[in-house]
Amino acid sequence: MNALPLLAVLLALPCLAARISVDPSVETGPVKPVNGVGQPPMVGMPTATPMFHYLREAGIPYSRLHDVGGWTGQGLWVDIPNLFPDFDADENEVANYDFAMTDALVERLVANGVEPFFRLGVTIENFAGAGFPPKRIRPPKDFAKWARICEHVIRHYTEGWADGFRHRITHWEIWNEPDNYEEIEKNCMWKGTFDSYCDFYGTAATYLKKRFPSLKIGGYASCGFYAAVGAANVKAANSSPRMQYFVDCARKFLSRAAKEGWPLDFFSFHSYSAPPDVFDQVAFADRLLDEYGFSRARCARIFNEWLPCVGQQGTARQAAAIAAELIGLQNGPCDIACIYDAQCSESPYSPLFDPRDRKPRKAYYAFTAFNELRKLGRAVKATCDDATLYAAAAERTGELAVMAANPSDEPKPFALELPDDYWTYACRLTDETSTDVACALPTALPPRSFLLCRARVARSAAEPVRVALT
């Protein structure tokens, strides 16, 4: 055969499109609450909360209460030294607690449909890793008393103690990132050895689980598993570059928890990598927990600090990476996740809201898109033959939502394959030039973009099948 005519035919063929195939008949489980946040977008006092409605409108399931008020904590909210200022006081006396500020914050979260994910501990002290004296991050001088103080905090918010509440607050996390640095003088979260943290966790978790068997007690907010997947060059937020130390600490903690029978209803961990590396890290955490006998049925996998493209807030690149990460977390072994964070701030770790106008940034709309899947509730099979695209779908009674993301720098031609009886009726796109705009079903996902597509079973013979509308 003459090669020239064949070459001409090949050059004339259109670029092969990626196929995103959705099968609503194959259920893959629930749409998981991986769209939680850390720190709500407070502006001023929590009694005002002019931006909390954005959490409600995006269907945010959890707000993790760590570093509330910024990295100094402002001495007001959530931290145990703020709730119980004098550690030497009698922990049984109501007068020795100061709940007022945290009450206001918690009430307004609950009023907007957000469940607090309550971190029992202290705010990070970045200055303490830079040679300044630590304030509150030394190990408590009496582990058992610290646990009893936390008991009263939990009773206040869930059992009405001290003119308190009966809120649904399921998860109670003991401390945060005690593995931040191996060198104690550099550690800005736990000025002690990791062995001492393990002793602390064992004492506190055992005590609290006996008092509250129906609640979820866990920890320890590991700095993460970068080293386990060959991404040791990644430096996490406020975390040691000695990534192997994080893995060593996790193994030590899980080994002791298994041998000594500590309660561990959930294991929490962090990563500031971007897709696809981050999914390897989540998978490693899942395998590690299985290795030590903590199956998913026994111990939830909670990924409660994550953020790709740190410092690129407001960009389509970060928004698309966040959308891809939400999709990947839904499709992986993670049970709950909370992005870090939902502050309205110029912090490089605050991707969702712009403090200049107090409006959502592009990344916020990844959460509203994912919420459309959450509202349907039943995750269904969604596959893509291009590993650089990410897709997830959900269905309920003939209504279908598909979310797709292209975090790459190239346009990606694609075809959305649905059963023939489904009619595509609405799409919304976010990319470099558009933010959550209605559009026709595109033939390609633009670079650094994500798409929400809604479809339903045709309700009459007169309805067109699989026709995209603006």
Side-chain angles (χ1 to χ4, degrees):
M1 178 183 289
N2 189 322
L4 290 178
L6 177 60
L7 178 61
V9 170
L10 291 173
L11 290 174
L13 291 175
C15 293
L16 293 177
R19 294 180 300 168
I20 296 176
S21 301
V22 178
D23 187 347
S25 69
V26 180
E27 183 173 354
T28 59
V31 181
K32 298 181 290 188
V34 296
N35 56 326
V37 301
Q39 300 188 52
M42 288 192 298
V43 177
M45 290 295 100
T47 49
T49 60
M51 298 182 67
F52 276 40
H53 68 94
Y54 287 118
L55 303 184
R56 181 181 69 252
E57 291 160 11
I60 301 301
Y62 295 102
S63 177
R64 180 180 181 244
L65 303 184
H66 171 62
D67 290 350
V68 175
W71 62 272
T72 65
Q74 297 186 27
L76 299 174
W77 294 285
V78 179
D79 292 0
I80 295 303
N82 298 336
L83 299 174
F84 191 78
D86 181 2
F87 193 84
D88 294 323
D90 183 350
E91 70 273 20
N92 299 302
E93 290 292 330
V94 172
N96 293 327
Y97 291 81
D98 185 356
F99 292 115
M101 298 297 288
T102 304
D103 283 357
L105 171 60
V106 167
E107 282 191 275
R108 279 145 186 84
L109 283 172
V110 171
N112 283 277
V114 182
E115 181 175 334
F117 190 108
F118 209 107
R119 188 272 290 123
L120 298 166
V122 295
T123 291
I124 196 167
E125 295 182 2
N126 290 310
F127 55 85
F132 293 95
K135 301 297 182 183
R136 298 172 165 185
I137 59 173
R138 294 184 178 90
K141 57 187 177 182
D142 183 335
F143 294 171
K145 181 172 183 177
W146 188 91
R148 294 193 300 272
I149 293 166
C150 292
E151 174 190 7
H152 288 87
V153 171
I154 296 172
R155 293 199 186 282
H156 175 75
Y157 287 108
T158 65
E159 297 181 357
W161 183 79
D163 294 323
F165 309 90
R166 297 186 179 274
H167 292 316
R168 175 183 171 85
I169 304 179
T170 308
H171 297 86
W172 298 84
E173 183 178 41
I174 297 175
W175 220 262
N176 172 80
E177 294 189 359
D179 56 343
N180 195 273
Y181 267 92
E182 183 174 12
E183 299 90 345
I184 293 174
E185 66 274 11
K186 294 181 180 179
N187 197 317
C188 47
M189 273 306 316
W190 178 262
K191 288 295 186 189
T193 65
F194 190 75
D195 284 329
S196 69
Y197 172 78
C198 291
D199 294 339
F200 170 67
Y201 179 90
T203 299
T206 300
Y207 180 86
L208 293 174
K209 189 63 178 178
K210 286 180 180 177
R211 273 31 183 203
F212 306 101
S214 66
L215 298 181
K216 303 295 186 184
I217 308 296
Y220 56 86
S222 161
C223 285
F225 301 112
Y226 309 92
V229 294
N233 60 319
V234 179
K235 291 190 177 182
N238 306 311
S239 295
S240 167
R242 299 183 65 182
M243 304 298 172
Q244 185 58 44
Y245 177 67
F246 302 160
V247 178
D248 295 343
C249 286
R251 288 190 175 280
K252 177 179 288 188
F253 175 84
L254 294 173
S255 177
R256 286 194 59 183
K259 289 178 181 177
E260 300 180 35
W262 298 340
L264 189 64
D265 295 321
F266 63 87
F267 180 79
S268 51
F269 58 99
H270 303 160
S271 174
Y272 289 82
S273 293
D277 278 358
V278 67
F279 304 132
D280 292 336
Q281 295 164 28
V282 172
F284 176 83
D286 180 53
R287 294 193 303 272
L288 186 66
L289 287 159
D290 281 342
E291 180 182 337
Y292 287 93
F294 293 99
S295 67
R296 288 184 70 188
R298 177 182 176 187
C299 174
R301 283 71 165 130
I302 296 186
F303 187 39
N304 59 12
E305 280 190 28
W306 64 271
L307 180 63
C309 307
V310 173
Q312 299 182 45
Q313 60 268 37
T315 65
R317 180 183 300 280
Q318 186 180 64
I322 285 172
E325 195 152 342
L326 285 169
I327 292 167
L329 292 174
Q330 166 60 32
N331 293 337
C334 181
D335 295 300
I336 294 173
C338 298
I339 198 169
Y340 192 95
D341 55 38
Q343 288 188 95
C344 183
S345 166
E346 285 294 354
S347 164
Y349 302 107
S350 299
L352 301 186
F353 302 104
D354 190 330
R356 294 169 295 182
D357 59 9
R358 299 183 182 179
K359 299 293 185 183
R361 291 173 164 143
K362 288 180 183 287
Y364 171 80
Y365 295 99
F367 283 79
T368 62
F370 190 84
N371 189 42
E372 295 303 311
L373 277 64
R374 286 269 295 159
K375 287 190 285 189
L376 296 179
R378 174 180 174 265
V380 296
K381 184 178 180 181
T383 60
C384 183
D385 57 10
D386 183 334
T388 65
L389 294 181
Y390 300 85
E395 186 274 347
R396 183 176 64 191
T397 60
E399 291 284 340
L400 183 67
V402 183
M403 185 176 175
N406 174 20
S408 80
D409 292 328
E410 302 295 332
K412 296 287 183 176
F414 82 104
L416 178 60
E417 297 182 347
L418 305 177
D420 288 340
D421 55 344
Y422 274 83
W423 171 43
T424 302
Y425 67 88
C427 296
R428 302 191 74 84
L429 177 71
T430 296
D431 62 4
E432 290 284 1
T433 60
S434 304
T435 301
D436 192 43
V437 299
C439 65
L441 179 64
T443 58
L445 280 174
R448 302 172 293 281
S449 70
F450 61 90
L451 176 75
L452 174 72
C453 178
R454 300 298 303 270
R456 64 170 180 253
V457 173
R459 294 170 180 170
S460 73
E463 278 190 346
V465 176
R466 296 179 62 186
V467 175
L469 303 179
T470 56

